[in-house]
Amino acid sequence: MTRKPVHLALYDTFADWETGHATAHLARAGYEVRTVTPAGEPVTGISGLRVLSDLTLDELRPEDSALLILPGADRWDEGDDLAPFARTARAFLDAGVPVAAICGATAGLAREGLLDERAHTSAVSFYLAATGYAGGDRYVEADAVTDGNLVTAGPTEPVAFAREIFRLLGVYDETVTDAWYRLFHDSDPEAYAEYAKATAR
């Protein structure tokens, strides 16, 4: 079965650790992961990791994608430079294509009004409240939250973020997803055997 690619949005200061579990295991499950930068330029993450771009933001279309992943970055809170990524997230959600946002990207979605009517989470509630958004009553104290086609998580929850993405895309059945989570979140040795057996090729 041919799958549409997953698109990973990248911009300078992106938080390298937040999406690695998701993208690595999506790739292992057969998804192509393609990088999207503002103008097709290489970008540098918060660690200094430099990443090449596969396409520009203007070239990205919801109908060509299985999922848009938005990592956090200092730049989400430094002005409006990343607002076009939040507007693209709106286009994806309007088209019924999933979006997953973590850390600072959730603030970008809040500013765009995308969290006003959806259950969501982030780093802490007052971080999003500072955006002036109208969705404070939909904030959930949880490691990660899925509402419809939108996944949100805080910066300390990359494993839960990945878990929700896997569930949303149907990457694994629930038993395998649970074993994967217990392995990578809890270092559960029994989960290793369950996950390895279920995913053996």
Side-chain angles (χ1 to χ4, degrees):
M1 175 176 133
T2 303
R3 295 185 172 107
K4 293 181 180 180
V6 167
H7 289 92
L8 174 63
L10 293 176
Y11 16 76
D12 285 333
T13 74
F14 72 91
D16 318 68
W17 70 90
E18 292 177 344
T19 60
H21 286 283
T23 54
H25 290 275
L26 286 169
R28 293 191 75 171
Y31 286 87
E32 178 188 8
V33 178
R34 305 197 72 204
T35 56
V36 183
T37 63
E41 73 284 15
V43 295
T44 303
I46 207 164
S47 70
L49 180 70
R50 192 164 171 80
V51 181
L52 300 178
S53 177
D54 291 315
L55 68 161
T56 69
L57 184 59
D58 286 345
E59 294 171 327
L60 178 62
R61 301 185 308 169
E63 59 266 33
D64 297 330
S65 185
L67 170 72
L68 174 62
I69 301 176
L70 299 167
D74 292 343
R75 291 186 62 200
W76 281 111
D77 299 316
E78 294 176 347
D80 297 328
D81 287 352
L82 299 187
F85 284 93
R87 290 194 291 272
T88 298
R90 177 180 290 282
F92 268 61
L93 292 170
D94 287 348
V97 181
V99 172
I102 186 168
C103 188
T106 62
L109 299 191
R111 294 184 188 97
E112 183 63 19
L114 295 174
L115 304 184
D116 290 351
E117 303 297 330
R118 293 177 172 92
H120 60 276
T121 194
S122 183
V124 288
S125 59
F126 56 81
Y127 169 65
L128 290 187
T131 68
Y133 83 131
D137 61 340
R138 304 302 305 276
Y139 188 90
V140 180
E141 294 288 355
D143 54 8
V145 172
T146 300
D147 187 333
N149 278 334
L150 178 64
V151 174
T152 53
T156 62
E157 298 295 344
V159 180
F161 183 60
R163 177 198 65 205
E164 294 304 299
I165 289 170
F166 301 158
R167 285 174 171 165
L168 187 58
L169 295 183
V171 175
Y172 308 121
D173 66 32
E174 188 58 29
T175 299
V176 177
T177 300
D178 178 67
W180 181 91
Y181 181 77
R182 287 187 290 115
L183 172 60
F184 287 96
H185 187 266
D186 303 327
S187 301
D188 182 343
E190 291 184 8
Y192 174 79
E194 294 172 34
Y195 174 70
K197 179 179 179 181
T199 57
R201 295 177 187 267

